[in-house]
Amino acid sequence: MPWTHAYPGAIIVPDSSILSVKDLVVAFPGVSGEGVQVVRGCSFSIGRGKTLGIVGESGCGKSITALSILGLVPIPGIIQGSIKYQGQELVGLEEKECEKLRGAEISIVFQDPSTALNPVFNLEQQLVETILRHKNIGSREACDMAIESLKQVDIPDPQKRIKDYPHQLSGGMKQRVLIAMALLCDPSCLILDEPTTALDVTVQAQILDLIELIQRSKNMSIILISHDLGIISEISDEIAIMYAGRIVETTCPSEIINSHRHPYTKGLIESIPKIDSKKKKLKTISGFPPDPQEMPSGCPFHPRCTRRLEKCVKLMPPKTLVNDNMSYACWNPV
């Protein structure tokens, strides 16, 4: 669907940023007929060649944020705010222009490789189709490019495997194919939506190493979306903590353990299993994330927060800047 304008007027993008999102709101019609916001005023930017990690529980709005950047929010969703790529406003861009950007400038690797690949077409058909959509070349040359792309992501015997169908590949191989497909046209920005969720730990490490290697070789910007704070911390330059459609804290990997300020971030860190811990039971965050149609007043985290004040129940906390790389939105920070 085309992006929908909401806030006219230019927003200045720093020279170092390749992608800048400002006051992003994504809403869908609710049961009562009023718009239900699933993303509620998110702002972030990503530098050239850098990795931004977005982490949060399932349902917090991470994937919808990614889809909004690509103009893929399903109808009847409405996008408001500003999304600028290399200074170009994407909100309100015509669908034909959106299609030129997708894959060529901004690509995405979806979280489930089993459903992202078409089961009735072999790899050659799917990869070649992607190339021909963006490049004015012949089918033979496109096939050579597809084989080379499989080679780059360490698919063994790519000349043979390109004739395979998705069901003939393991989960790790499918994920590598999706990464190869996303990189076919050398995009400047790659969005990875839970790229290791369905993979075992060994394959997860291989995929993350592959992503880092490709990023360094191409100086590519990456938005890594995950619910796994460990993975996010391992390869990100900056981390955005998302809860109930909002970014509640931004920080960097070196500071997140000892210098986090938001109670939700603290809960995520404490829920990570520790090998040397003598406790048998994992510490969890009580309660559940709020339903977007029944969002609580004030801070959306207050029903689950052990540090809530009376102010938290009534008023939404503003963003507090700690420094250029760190901010939080909380009335009673850790």
Side-chain angles (χ1 to χ4, degrees):
M1 63 171 288
W3 283 288
T4 305
H5 259 302
Y7 302 107
I11 294 177
I12 297 174
V13 181
D15 292 338
S16 60
S17 296
I18 191 170
L19 181 72
S20 178
V21 176
K22 180 72 173 178
D23 297 328
L24 176 66
V25 173
V26 183
F28 293 88
V31 176
S32 63
E34 298 181 358
V36 176
Q37 295 182 357
V38 294
V39 177
R40 311 170 72 221
C42 284
S43 298
F44 59 85
S45 62
I46 177 171
R48 298 175 188 274
K50 299 296 184 180
T51 299
L52 169 68
I54 302 178
V55 64
E57 293 169 283
S58 297
C60 72
K62 305 186 300 297
S63 295
I64 287 293
T65 299
L67 292 176
S68 67
I69 294 171
L70 291 160
L72 293 175
V73 171
I75 296 173
I78 295 175
I79 302 173
Q80 299 176 330
S82 175
I83 303 171
K84 283 196 172 184
Y85 171 72
Q86 298 195 113
Q88 179 185 10
E89 181 60 71
L90 303 185
V91 175
L93 202 63
E94 293 295 328
E95 179 62 22
K96 287 184 179 180
E97 296 301 315
C98 297
E99 291 177 354
K100 291 179 183 178
L101 283 172
R102 294 183 200 128
E105 296 289 340
I106 308 173
S107 284
I108 186 169
V109 176
F110 293 103
Q111 59 181 288
D112 187 355
S114 297
T115 58
L117 292 170
N118 193 322
V120 301
F121 295 109
N122 65 24
L123 302 186
E124 180 180 0
Q125 291 169 303
Q126 298 186 59
L127 291 168
V128 168
E129 179 187 10
T130 302
I131 296 170
L132 295 180
R133 181 180 293 271
H134 294 287
K135 293 184 178 292
N136 186 23
I137 60 176
S139 298
R140 183 177 295 275
E141 187 179 353
C143 184
D144 291 340
M145 286 182 61
I147 291 171
E148 182 61 27
S149 71
L150 294 181
K151 185 178 180 180
Q152 288 179 356
V153 296
D154 296 332
I155 297 289
D157 198 4
Q159 292 89 347
K160 179 181 177 182
R161 299 311 295 264
I162 199 169
K163 300 295 183 181
D164 286 353
Y165 287 82
H167 74 271
Q168 295 174 279
L169 306 176
S170 67
M173 294 277 273
K174 290 176 186 176
Q175 194 63 280
R176 290 173 186 270
V177 170
L178 285 182
I179 294 171
M181 188 178 294
L183 298 176
L184 282 171
C185 299
D186 292 322
S188 299
C189 184
L190 178 65
I191 301 173
L192 298 162
D193 188 2
E194 303 277 10
T196 60
T197 297
L199 308 176
D200 62 49
V201 176
T202 303
V203 179
Q204 280 186 18
Q206 294 172 354
I207 294 297
L208 293 175
D209 288 344
L210 173 64
I211 291 168
E212 286 190 286
L213 180 64
I214 292 172
Q215 181 183 31
R216 287 196 299 268
S217 67
K218 297 179 179 290
N219 194 34
M220 185 172 54
S221 302
I222 290 178
I223 297 176
L224 175 62
I225 295 171
S226 180
H227 63 271
D228 190 323
L229 191 56
I231 289 176
I232 289 286
S233 300
E234 185 178 341
I235 69 172
S236 298
D237 297 294
E238 185 178 3
I239 299 172
I241 307 295
M242 197 166 186
Y243 184 79
R246 294 180 181 273
I247 291 177
V248 297
E249 184 163 14
T250 59
T251 184
C252 53
S254 61
E255 300 289 340
I256 191 168
I257 298 298
N258 298 318
S259 300
H260 59 271
R261 306 301 303 276
H262 202 282
Y264 180 59
T265 307
K266 182 175 187 291
L268 292 177
I269 293 171
E270 291 180 343
S271 67
I272 299 174
K274 297 174 180 61
I275 296 176
D276 59 348
S277 176
K278 296 181 180 180
K279 297 180 181 179
K280 294 183 179 179
K281 190 175 181 179
L282 287 176
K283 191 168 184 178
T284 60
I285 303 173
S286 62
F288 300 93
D291 185 329
Q293 297 190 78
E294 299 177 359
M295 196 64 63
S297 60
C299 173
F301 187 61
H302 85 255
R304 308 173 70 188
C305 184
T306 58
R307 298 178 59 83
R308 64 178 175 268
L309 307 172
E310 184 177 348
K311 183 189 294 186
C312 304
V313 180
K314 298 178 180 179
L315 299 174
M316 179 71 70
K319 182 170 76 171
T320 301
L321 292 175
V322 179
N323 53 45
D324 291 342
N325 300 315
M326 298 176 65
S327 67
Y328 64 91
C330 180
W331 291 117
N332 188 23
V334 176

